Amino acid sequence: KTGARIFLYGGSNQGALVQLALNLRRRYPGIQGLGYSRTVVAAELEGFERQQVARGDKNFAVYPQSVREVYQPVTYLAPLDNPNRVTIGFDMFSEPRRRTAMEVARDDGKTVATESVTLTQEQFERDKQQGFLIYSPLYNPEAVLFTLSQRRAALRGFVYIAFRVEDFIVGIDGLTGNGVGFELYSSEKLQPTS
């Protein structure tokens, strides 16, 4: 909840966000970052980009450029190191696996993980590896969320955590110290509610 509050209320406590992300990385190896993706409808896209530039991100732009009804650009990401910096502005709805997980999370009001993806940060890594993201939807706090249409209308964005798979697995084994054996698999194909 702390991370969600920091993101939702304008990032007024960026230092606390960075500290939270760094602590997560230390405690849980494999975490690439803790982020927030804001829901932006097409009519608001240019204004949103100008707002981000005015807040100090002079190079902010949503990418890849294409016309859609709704965008889910990475708005905040911590820690903001060089690999994570390139992710700012990336429209996660532009990639099918991310979009599917986000739509299911939005529609069901639950936290959802993606299938295996290539994180945008991997372009800076020597040892490229697969990743996954876990999304938790953020809704307007005054909204009623009983129906699918109410949840869709109330969506503000997502808090998410990005993981590098191999680092995550090695980190889990290191935390247990017992050489634990396990498998990662997808038990079902995610589908957004129609």
Side-chain angles (χ1 to χ4, degrees):
K1 288 188 177 184
T2 301
R5 249 185 249 115
I6 291 168
F7 287 126
L8 263 182
Y9 299 107
S12 61
N13 196 347
Q14 291 286 326
L17 173 61
V18 170
Q19 192 59 47
L20 175 63
L22 289 172
N23 287 339
L24 284 173
R25 271 189 175 172
R26 276 193 286 277
R27 292 187 72 191
Y28 306 104
I31 291 178
Q32 184 66 34
L34 172 65
Y36 171 67
S37 166
R38 180 172 157 196
T39 302
V40 180
V41 296
E44 298 171 351
L45 183 61
E46 286 183 30
F48 171 71
E49 288 177 325
R50 283 193 302 272
Q51 180 183 45
Q52 292 303 109
V53 170
R55 286 185 173 170
D57 191 350
K58 62 182 178 184
N59 297 315
F60 186 89
V62 175
Y63 74 94
Q65 292 182 347
S66 63
V67 177
R68 275 186 291 295
E69 290 180 28
V70 177
Y71 300 84
Q72 284 297 157
V74 174
T75 308
Y76 301 107
L77 186 57
L80 197 55
D81 53 17
N82 283 336
N84 280 348
R85 190 174 304 280
V86 73
T87 304
I88 299 296
F90 175 66
D91 176 19
M92 292 192 280
F93 256 28
S94 69
E95 195 279 315
R97 289 181 176 184
R98 287 173 175 86
R99 182 181 184 121
T100 297
M102 295 170 97
E103 287 176 336
V104 170
R106 173 202 64 202
D107 290 354
D108 293 349
K110 296 181 179 176
T111 300
V112 175
T114 64
E115 293 181 36
S116 178
V117 299
T118 301
L119 300 175
T120 55
Q121 297 93 326
E122 287 300 313
Q123 62 184 299
F124 291 102
E125 300 294 337
R126 280 190 178 152
D127 63 329
K128 303 212 182 306
Q129 48 183 278
Q130 287 298 108
F132 66 98
L133 300 105
I134 297 176
Y135 295 105
S136 188
L138 295 174
Y139 302 100
N140 178 336
E142 285 98 39
V144 175
L145 302 173
F146 294 127
T147 68
L148 175 64
S149 62
Q150 289 170 333
R151 287 187 294 277
R152 287 182 175 179
L155 185 70
R156 283 189 170 179
F158 296 87
V159 171
Y160 71 95
I161 300 177
F163 295 86
R164 297 181 83 214
V165 172
E166 290 176 35
D167 293 347
F168 179 65
I169 292 170
V170 169
I172 289 173
D173 191 43
L175 290 173
T176 65
N178 296 325
V180 174
F182 57 90
E183 292 181 38
L184 291 177
Y185 63 94
S186 177
S187 63
E188 63 181 73
K189 201 79 161 154
L190 290 176
Q191 294 294 324
T193 307
S194 297

